[in-house]
Amino acid sequence: MIKKLQIFKRDKWNMINAEVHGARIVVRVISDQWGEDNFEFLSRPALMHWAEGTFTQDRFDGTEEERQQILAAFKEV
């Protein structure tokens, strides 16, 4: 069974989706600048390590509230 989750969506060109395939988690980052990137994780701790490193305060170009919502959504995966 595949569980699909929407982590973030700004518009139809900027979004982050996660799919849980048993123990494997696939994150799809779609942006109007970079296209689509896929990341695969074998554990939730690895996913959270990536998310916290990717969405740091100095690298995220949205509001702090948006950043916290994204990290909270990753914790729900």
Side-chain angles (χ1 to χ4, degrees):
M1 182 172 140
I2 298 173
K3 180 179 173 186
K4 295 183 179 186
L5 302 159
Q6 186 172 34
I7 303 296
F8 169 77
K9 184 171 183 175
R10 183 169 287 154
D11 53 36
K12 70 178 187 173
W13 302 109
N14 295 286
M15 65 182 82
I16 302 169
N17 297 313
E19 294 178 3
V20 180
H21 302 260
R24 189 170 57 101
I25 303 165
V26 177
V27 174
R28 287 183 170 66
V29 179
I30 303 167
S31 75
D32 56 359
Q33 291 180 333
W34 306 107
E36 182 175 326
D37 283 329
N38 294 309
F39 301 92
E40 187 173 324
F41 303 96
L42 299 177
S43 69
R44 283 176 172 73
L47 169 69
M48 288 310 301
H49 178 75
W50 173 83
E52 289 167 356
T54 302
F55 296 99
T56 60
Q57 288 180 338
D58 57 329
R59 292 176 57 191
F60 184 67
D61 67 345
T63 66
E64 177 62 17
E65 183 178 311
E66 279 181 317
R67 189 180 82 82
Q68 290 299 326
Q69 288 174 345
I70 290 170
L71 291 174
F74 274 115
K75 290 177 184 174
E76 296 295 318
V77 172

